[in-house]
Every structure is written in C-alpha cells, then in structure tokens.
C-alpha cells in the first residue's frame, strides 16, 4: 500500500491577515481532497527546532478562515542562528531531525522575504520544502501578490479617510506613517486610494522643501490642510545617500573590522531613522506655518479579519500548494500569477526584494492626480 503523504506546516515572520485562511486552504485540501496527513509547528522555525507540534484536524481548521493572526503562532527566529538558553546556535540539524521524527514528506513554510531565505537553507540541508508568500509589505519577489497586503492596504486607506476629518477641521498637516519595511507598496497603494496629498516611499528619496512647497501651494488656493502618507522606510535624499554609502562600505569590506565598522554605521543611521516621521512633521510645521500632527498606524495594519481578496488569495495559494505536493514538486514557492498560480524555485526568490519600480503605473497615476511624491 502506498504511504500517506504527511505535511508539516509553520508560519514565520510578522503575523499577517490571511495566514489562517492559508493554513485552512492547505489543510482542507490535504486532509479532505487528497487524504493526506497534516501537522502544525508552533512559533515558526523555533517550534520546528524544538519539535513543538499542534494537531491540525478538520475540526481545528473549522472557523479560522476569517480569524486574524495565526493559530500556529509565529517568530522571527532563523534556523541557522537561534538563541537557545542564552546562546546563539545553528539549529538546522535539529530541524532536519524534527522532520524525520514526525515522518514528514514535506514542510510548508508560510512567510515573507526572511522566511524564503530560511526555507532555502532548509532546502540546501536536504529537506523537501514548499513556501507560500505572505506579508503586508508585498515585497516578495517573483509573485504578483502576497497574503495580507490587500487587508493592510484597506486598513491604511480607511485610516487616511478618517484622518481627513481632523486635518480639514483643524487646518492641519497630518503625517501618517505606514508600514512596508523597505518597500513603498503599502504607503503608495493606501496613499492613492485614500487621496493623500503627499506620498513618500523608500524608492523615491524626498526633499522636505519640495513637500513644503506642495503644501503651501494647496494653502494658497484655499485648501489649508494636507495628508502626508509616509512609508516607514522613506528617506530624505541626504539620509538616502548616507545609507547607500554605508551599505556599499559593508559590501566592499575586506576585513571583519571593516565589516563591523560598516554595520555599526548602518545601525546608527537606522536608529536615527526611527524618529524620521516625527522629524518630518516638525520640519513641515516650520516650513509651512501649519500645525502638524503624526499618526503611526503600526500593528493596526496587520490585525484583524482578512479582506475577501486575501481570503481568496490564501485559499488559491494553499490549495495549489497541495496540488504541487501531490505531484511531488518541492523546493518551490507557490507564486500568484494573474488569476492562477505558478511554482517558482525558492532560490529564485530568496534574497530578493520586490520594490516599487519608478515607472510603475501606480507611480504614474499618483503623479497625474498631482500627488506630491517628495522629489
Ligand atoms: O514585514 C511586516 C512588517 O510589519 C513590516 O512592515 C515592519 O517593518 C515589520 O514587519 C515590523 O516588524 P516587527 O513585527 O518585528 O515589529
């Protein structure tokens, strides 16, 4: 008799709306349609290294489609550099052992860019792995979309809609900080959908003077409020050049001392960047004479019920994942491609970041409706 295929699944990296919908998609197709076995690992790669499992039956999967977060728990732990009892250890072999102990035929990893890199390490260690792309940042390479982005964009758009009330009633500038890591998809998408007057993204270094000029122009024609949607990774031209230079130093470092010095410089720049949105608001207040306030959306963007589009995407990717497993296709990420899906080798995804191309239609449209992009 043929052995029943046994799937292990984990969620890693930041939580994201639609993770449970994806777990359900994989699980229902695996357990029901294909008659496979299905087991969960808690808290990302840490739970896998520590062999902490969760039984996933049809009953466990019932009712989770609309639930935010992940029933499995998550973490940002990396297989090859995990802190165990106060010591950083390479847990790759422990992970391989866990997979053997649980008689896994395949490990499914749901995650963003970091997870794709970690999954590749496990592929190189000989494990059969399939990944699914999720992140509110939409920055995973080789896929049209990532689970969680649509929901987060909806939340950020609604926030901008609501911030308009205070901005126009009090004649203020409201600077709203939107997540996205080093990519501008979330700020750009929500900014356009919410009608932000200024949108600042990491891909386009900004000049504070240009932003102030655009806001003053609005004031002159009688619109004395403005909404500035700023991506958490957006930078002024000066800061952008400083970071580029430090990055290049790190890449060119020949010795460990040079590498450490460049890393320290990058760390200092990143620490300074943490206060960027507050600094920007102060500068705009000084330059325009309009009161400025800051709203940082933070984890609100990752929380709660996934949108219909994310539920659909998660279900499509999850079920396509089991189709690939059934065919014995491993070492791939299930990418969203148009209305369908496509397996892409994990090594073609890992280590890449999908940023907003400067000629992307969203950028062009934003410029056409006279949104200031800070350049
Ligand atoms: O990747 C998702 C994300 O929310 C990014 O937008 C943000 O930069 C990061 O995670 C925040 O990470 P943490 O969960 O560690 O605070």
């Amino acid at each position: 008799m043929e052995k029943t295929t046994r799937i292990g699944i984990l969620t890693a990296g930041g939580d994201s709306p639609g993770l449970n919908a994806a777990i359900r998609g994989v699980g229902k197709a695996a357990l029901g349609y294909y008659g496979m076995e299905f087991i969960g690992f808690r808290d990302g790669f840490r739970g896998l290294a520590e062999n902490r499992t969760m039984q996933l039956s049809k009953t466990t999967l019932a009712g989770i489609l609309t639930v935010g977060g992940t029933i499995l728990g998550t973490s940002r732990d990396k297989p090859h550099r995990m802190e165990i009892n106060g010591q950083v250890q390479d847990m790759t072999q422990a992970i391989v052992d866990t997979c053997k102990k649980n008689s896994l035929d395949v490990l499914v990893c749901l995650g963003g860019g970091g997870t794709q890199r970690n999954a590749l390490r496990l592929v190189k260690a000989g494990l059969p792995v399939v990944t699914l792309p999720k992140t509110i940042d939409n920055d995973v390479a080789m896929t049209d979309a990532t689970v969680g982005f649509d929901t987060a964009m909806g939340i950020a758009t609604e926030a901008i809609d609501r911030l308009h009330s205070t901005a126009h009633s009090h004649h203020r500038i409201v600077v709203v900080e939107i997540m996205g890591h080093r990519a501008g998809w979330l700020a750009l998408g929500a900014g356009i959908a919410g009608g932000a007057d200024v949108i600042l993204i990491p891909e386009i270094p900004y000049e504070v003077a240009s932003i102030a000029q655009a806001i003053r122009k609005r004031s002159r024609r009688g619109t004395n409020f403005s909404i500035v949607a700023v991506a958490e990774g957006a930078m002024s031209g000066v800061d952008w050049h400083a970071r580029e230079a430090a990055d290049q130093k790190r890449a060119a470092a020949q010795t460990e001392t040079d590498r450490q010095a460049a890393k320290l410089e990058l760390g200092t720049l990143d620490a300074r960047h943490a206060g960027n949105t507050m600094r920007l608001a102060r500068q705009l207040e000084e330059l325009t004479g309009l009161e400025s306030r800051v709203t940082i959306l933070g984890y609100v963007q990752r929380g709660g019920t996934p949108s219909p589009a994310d539920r659909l995407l998660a279900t499509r990717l999850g079920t396509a994942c089991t189709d690939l497993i059934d065919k014995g296709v491993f070492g791939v990420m299930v990418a969203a491609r148009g209305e369908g899906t496509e397996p892409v080798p994990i090594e073609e995804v890992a280590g890449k970041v999908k940023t907003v191309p400067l000629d992307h239609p969203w950028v062009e449209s934003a410029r056409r409706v006279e949104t200031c992009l800070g350049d």
Side-chain angles (χ1 to χ4, degrees):
M1 204 177 77
E2 232 180 83
K3 178 188 174 294
T4 309
T5 303
R6 194 164 157 80
I7 305 176
I9 190 165
L10 61 81
T11 51
D15 66 286
S16 179
L19 274 174
N20 286 326
I23 296 168
R24 173 183 174 274
V26 178
K28 287 197 88 155
L31 294 167
Y33 188 82
Y34 283 112
M36 297 171 177
E37 291 173 2
F38 194 48
I39 182 176
F41 290 92
R42 294 178 190 271
D43 305 332
F45 294 103
R46 176 167 290 272
L48 187 61
E50 295 171 347
N51 193 16
R52 285 190 286 117
T53 58
M54 178 176 182
Q55 286 313 312
L56 295 173
S57 63
K58 283 187 184 171
T59 318
T60 331
L61 299 177
I64 65 168
L65 175 68
T66 58
V67 178
T70 159
I71 56 165
L72 291 173
T74 188
S75 74
R76 292 201 183 273
D77 289 297
K78 303 176 177 74
H80 68 299
R81 250 188 8 232
M82 205 176 285
E83 202 179 303
I84 306 279
N85 300 328
Q87 274 199 325
V88 177
Q89 293 183 34
D90 184 346
M91 298 301 282
T92 310
Q93 190 52 48
I95 285 174
V96 172
D97 292 345
T98 301
C99 292
K100 262 195 208 132
K101 256 182 239 158
N102 289 282
S103 310
L104 295 191
D105 295 298
V106 59
L107 175 71
V108 176
C109 304
L110 272 63
T115 304
Q116 307 301 329
R117 279 200 302 276
N118 290 325
L120 182 62
R121 286 193 186 99
L122 300 186
V123 171
K124 287 185 173 160
L127 289 179
V129 178
V130 178
T131 63
L132 265 62
K134 75 85 205 145
T135 166
I136 64 163
D137 305 336
N138 194 34
D139 62 352
V140 176
M142 312 290 289
T143 179
D144 289 355
T146 58
V147 174
F149 173 66
D150 183 75
T151 309
M153 187 164 60
I155 296 168
T157 301
E158 192 190 334
I160 295 174
D161 291 348
R162 290 179 186 274
L163 289 167
H164 267 92
S165 307
T166 303
H168 80 72
S169 304
H170 285 265
H171 320 301
R172 284 177 182 162
I173 297 172
V174 175
V175 183
V176 50
E177 186 186 287
I178 296 173
M179 279 185 163
H181 200 47
R182 295 199 197 290
W185 296 107
L186 202 51
L188 184 59
I192 295 172
D197 309 294
V198 179
I199 303 175
L200 306 174
I201 60 174
E203 293 83 351
I204 304 177
Y206 63 78
E207 300 304 326
V208 181
S210 307
I211 306 168
Q213 198 184 10
I215 292 173
R216 278 197 305 261
K217 196 172 153 199
R218 282 169 56 79
S219 294
R220 273 200 302 275
R221 64 159 202 247
T223 316
N224 50 7
F225 72 90
S226 284
I227 301 280
V228 179
V230 54
E232 61 180 350
M235 282 181 200
S236 69
V238 174
D239 290 349
W240 190 87
H241 285 296
R243 204 176 191 288
E244 275 291 296
D247 231 359
Q248 276 166 17
K249 265 192 227 164
R250 182 175 59 174
Q254 300 284 342
T255 64
E256 191 49 33
T257 320
D258 288 352
R259 220 181 328 274
Q260 287 308 329
K263 268 180 91 172
L264 196 71
E265 196 178 330
L266 274 172
T268 311
L269 290 172
D270 288 347
R272 186 184 125 79
H273 187 74
N276 193 54
T277 303
M278 302 301 289
R279 215 166 22 248
L280 175 65
R282 271 199 306 274
Q283 287 167 324
L284 291 178
E285 183 163 300
E286 277 165 26
L287 291 171
T288 63
L290 288 174
E291 248 186 337
S292 300
R293 294 284 193 274
V294 168
T295 297
I296 296 177
L297 298 184
Y299 298 134
V300 167
Q301 294 157 102
R302 296 195 335 209
T305 306
S307 66
D310 271 331
R311 295 179 205 181
L312 190 55
L313 177 65
T315 307
R316 281 170 52 213
L317 295 178
T319 53
C321 172
T322 55
D323 295 344
L324 291 171
I325 292 170
D326 182 59
K327 291 190 188 108
V329 180
F330 303 131
V332 295
M333 177 184 82
V334 190
R337 195 71 73 232
E339 291 301 304
T341 61
E342 197 177 273
V344 180
I346 298 173
E347 56 194 346
E348 285 180 26
V349 180
K352 292 184 189 150
V353 180
K354 185 181 77 177
T355 52
V356 179
L358 295 183
D359 60 352
H360 191 274
W362 290 8
V363 175
E364 304 287 344
S365 293
R367 291 196 194 280
R368 296 286 185 283
V369 294
E370 291 185 297
T371 307
C372 168
L373 297 182
D375 52 350

